[in-house]
């Protein structure tokens, strides 16, 4: 009786699984190599071509090399079927870096698709061209990116921004200026999606060329709340670096005020002869700024990766802020607009966005306004355990 019941349960389980998989492509993963691919790829019917291409992609997902079908797949890129063309581009993108020489065979098709009326096709063609890691076609890819950066479609312009770091990684020194000009042009875009991708390209290609940010600072601040979440994180860091590089730290911020209080307490404990023989650097209003403040400022001015990696070789006596490195949040319009545009980000569903916005207010907001970041940080404590360590570290 129990054996029969177990058999029935197993049969029901298989049946329910089959019903669940009806209408999906899950069957492609059940021995997908039991079908001859060549007749499907050479078929006159788009439905059979789709079936063959999907089976190839299923094999790729399982780690099987199916590059032997490359010639048969490439010739289908000229099809009029969007579904077939999309699957062909997915296949080509997978092998673009692994087999760049073979991918070159389809470069003429890519260039032709860049003029297709459908923006999806233009974007797919650009993505495939940018995925070919060969210097020999770099000028062609450069022209394609320049063309797509001015495309009327938002999606195509976003793909152009995403392609820029790949083009820059080829170390084309002669095209560096042209690439940075395209980055600056995309930063002026009216679409938040394009601006987010352009910000990521800026951070990867020319993070120290803050003149590109200076031309669009206010508009970037205004568009920041509408940028996608991961773009907000990158753009927030860029805007903060720009403000510190141009105006310096805020004298009313809790960071500077706290260090001044520590300084005054330590001065009382020091003996007068020691003070007389010690060289003391003075900042604004005679306040002594501790090394931690100098490190924060210089890390934003020179870039955190570059500066912190060289920190152990830097003479600590040079870590001094002068009057030009200090500003006021109450009179500086750039600081005001940055604090205002990052306020909505404090209530983002993305914990990284909240931390980025909270960092801006911790460094640049007056101490009487620092309470605005407390509740958002406390809400983050309800999220994942990994986020709690970051939040506790920022609070203490």
């Amino acid at each position: 009786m129990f054996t029969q019941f177990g058999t029935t349960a197993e049969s029901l389980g298989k049946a329910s699984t089959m019903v669940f998989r009806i209408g999906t492509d899950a069957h492609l993963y059940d021995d997908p190599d039991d079908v001859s691919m060549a007749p499907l790829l050479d078929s006159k019917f788009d439905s059979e071509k789709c079936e063959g291409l999907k089976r190839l992609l299923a094999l790729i997902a399982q780690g099987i090399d199916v590059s032997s079908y490359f010639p048969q797949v490439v010739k289908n890129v000229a099809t009029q079927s969007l579904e077939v063309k999309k699957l062909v581009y997915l296949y080509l993108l997978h092998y673009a870096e692994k087999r760049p020489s073979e991918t070159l065979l389809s470069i003429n098709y890519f260039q032709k698709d860049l003029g297709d009326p459908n923006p999806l096709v233009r974007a797919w063609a650009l993505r495939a061209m940018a995925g070919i890691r060969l210097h020999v076609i770099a000028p062609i890819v450069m022209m394609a990116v320049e063309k797509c950066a001015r495309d009327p479609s938002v999606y195509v312009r976003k793909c152009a921004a995403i392609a820029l770091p790949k083009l820059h990684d080829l170390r084309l020194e002669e095209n560096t200026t042209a690439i940075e000009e395209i980055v600056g042009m995309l930063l002026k875009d009216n679409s938040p999606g394009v601006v987010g991708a352009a910000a990521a390209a800026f951070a990867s290609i020319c993070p120290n060329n803050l003149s590109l940010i200076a031309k669009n600072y206010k508009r970037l601040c205004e568009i920041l709340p509408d940028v996608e979440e991961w773009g907000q994180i990158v753009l927030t860091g860029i805007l903060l670096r720009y403000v510190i590089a141009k105006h310096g730290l805020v004298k009313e911020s809790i960071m500077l005020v706290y260090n001044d209080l520590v300084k005054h307490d330590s001065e009382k404990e020091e003996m007068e002869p020691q003070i007389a023989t010690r060289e003391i650097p003075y900042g604004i209003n005679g306040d002594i700024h501790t090394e931690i403040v100098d490190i924060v400022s210089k890390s934003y001015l020179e870039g955190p990766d570059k500066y912190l990696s060289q920190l152990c070789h830097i003479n600590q006596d040079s870590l001094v802020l002068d009057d030009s490195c200090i500003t006021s949040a109450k009179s500086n319009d750039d600081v005001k607009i940055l604090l205002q545009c990052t306020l909505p980000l404090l209530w983002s569903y993305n914990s990284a966005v909240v931390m980025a916005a909270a960092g801006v207010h911790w460094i640049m907001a007056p101490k009487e306004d620092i309470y605005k970041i407390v509740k958002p940080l406390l809400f983050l404590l309800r999220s994942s355990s990994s986020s709690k360590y970051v939040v506790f570290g920022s609070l203490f």
Side-chain angles (χ1 to χ4, degrees):
M1 176 179 178
F2 291 102
T3 305
Q4 183 179 3
F5 176 77
T7 304
T8 304
E10 183 179 356
S11 301
L12 289 174
K14 291 182 178 179
S16 63
T17 301
M18 292 178 62
V19 171
F20 178 75
R21 291 154 69 95
I22 290 177
T24 69
D25 292 326
H27 66 282
L28 298 174
Y29 293 89
D30 300 333
D31 300 325
D33 55 345
D34 62 351
V35 178
S36 179
M37 299 292 183
L40 293 175
L41 297 175
D42 295 334
S43 174
K44 298 180 181 179
F45 303 101
D46 291 336
S47 59
E48 293 184 357
K49 291 181 180 179
C50 287
E51 180 74 10
L53 289 167
K54 288 179 180 179
R55 289 185 180 277
L56 286 180
L57 294 175
L59 289 169
I60 290 175
Q62 297 181 51
I64 301 174
D65 185 9
V66 291
S67 59
S68 59
Y69 296 97
F70 198 94
Q72 292 173 286
V73 173
V74 167
K75 68 181 182 180
N76 287 313
V77 76
T79 182
Q80 298 299 318
S81 171
L82 286 181
E83 187 174 4
V84 173
K85 191 181 289 287
K86 177 178 67 176
L87 295 173
V88 170
Y89 272 115
L90 289 174
Y91 177 92
L92 295 179
L93 276 173
H94 180 77
Y95 287 110
E97 290 192 27
K98 298 180 180 179
R99 298 179 177 270
S101 299
E102 296 176 356
T103 311
L104 280 176
L105 300 174
S106 55
I107 194 68
N108 291 332
Y109 292 111
F110 299 156
Q111 290 180 287
K112 182 179 179 181
D113 283 347
L114 286 174
D116 194 276
N118 193 319
L120 290 177
V121 176
R122 299 197 298 272
W124 295 339
L126 178 62
R127 289 176 59 192
M129 292 180 68
I132 304 175
R133 317 296 294 163
L134 288 178
H135 284 78
V136 67
I137 66 163
I140 300 177
V141 179
M142 184 68 190
M143 293 175 60
V145 172
E146 289 179 343
K147 179 181 178 181
C148 292
R150 297 175 173 85
D151 196 276
S153 170
V154 171
Y155 181 64
V156 177
R157 297 199 302 273
K158 181 178 179 180
C159 288
I162 296 173
L164 283 172
K166 297 180 181 179
L167 186 61
H168 181 261
D169 286 343
L170 292 177
R171 306 300 179 190
L172 305 174
E173 286 76 11
E174 66 276 10
N175 293 329
T176 300
T177 303
I179 292 175
E180 292 186 9
E181 289 178 358
I182 297 176
V183 173
M185 179 178 64
L186 293 173
L187 285 172
K188 300 177 183 178
D189 201 278
N190 294 323
S191 170
V194 177
V195 171
F202 173 88
S204 176
I205 296 171
C206 50
N208 295 323
N209 189 0
L210 296 179
S211 61
L212 297 178
I213 305 300
K215 300 174 183 177
N216 310 285
Y217 175 76
K218 290 186 177 180
R219 202 185 56 78
L220 289 174
C221 288
E222 293 171 355
I223 205 171
L224 177 62
D226 299 322
V227 174
E228 60 186 358
E229 292 177 344
W230 296 110
Q232 288 176 340
I233 299 169
V234 177
L235 186 54
T236 299
I238 293 173
L239 293 175
L240 178 59
R241 281 193 62 220
Y242 168 76
V243 171
I244 293 179
K246 182 178 181 180
H247 304 289
L249 299 176
V250 174
K251 64 181 180 181
E252 301 96 349
S253 66
I254 190 171
M255 186 171 59
L256 284 184
V257 171
Y258 172 75
N259 280 280
D260 286 342
L261 292 176
V262 172
K263 177 267 301 182
H264 288 305
D265 292 339
S266 61
E267 280 181 347
K268 294 179 182 179
E269 297 177 0
E270 292 182 2
M271 297 182 63
E272 191 166 343
Q274 293 176 327
I275 297 178
T277 58
R278 180 184 176 189
E279 183 180 356
I280 302 177
Y282 282 89
I284 191 168
N285 298 328
D287 292 336
I288 304 173
H289 301 286
T290 60
E291 292 180 0
I292 184 62
V293 179
D294 297 313
I295 291 173
V296 170
S297 177
K298 287 185 177 292
S299 68
Y300 277 102
L301 291 173
E302 301 181 17
D305 296 335
K306 176 182 177 182
Y307 178 72
L308 295 179
S309 64
Q310 301 174 350
L311 187 58
C312 58
H313 306 293
I314 293 177
N315 182 6
Q316 297 298 318
D317 294 336
S318 64
L319 297 177
V320 181
L321 291 179
D322 55 23
D323 293 0
S324 62
C325 296
I326 300 295
T327 187
S328 174
K330 299 178 181 178
S331 59
N332 192 307
D333 292 336
D334 287 346
V335 176
K336 287 181 181 179
I337 190 173
L338 179 61
L339 294 174
Q340 183 178 2
C341 74
T342 51
L343 274 179
L345 306 189
L346 292 172
W347 300 102
S348 172
Y349 289 106
N350 190 312
S351 57
V353 175
V354 177
M355 291 302 302
V360 171
H361 286 259
W362 178 264
I363 296 174
M364 306 302 289
K367 66 173 185 176
E368 58 268 19
D369 294 336
I370 203 66
Y371 70 91
K372 295 178 181 178
I373 71 172
V374 175
K375 284 186 178 180
L377 291 178
L378 292 177
F379 274 113
L380 287 187
L381 296 178
R382 302 179 182 179
S383 58
S384 63
S385 56
S386 57
S387 299
K388 294 179 182 179
Y389 290 105
V390 180
V391 176
F392 278 125
S394 64
L395 289 174
F396 300 102

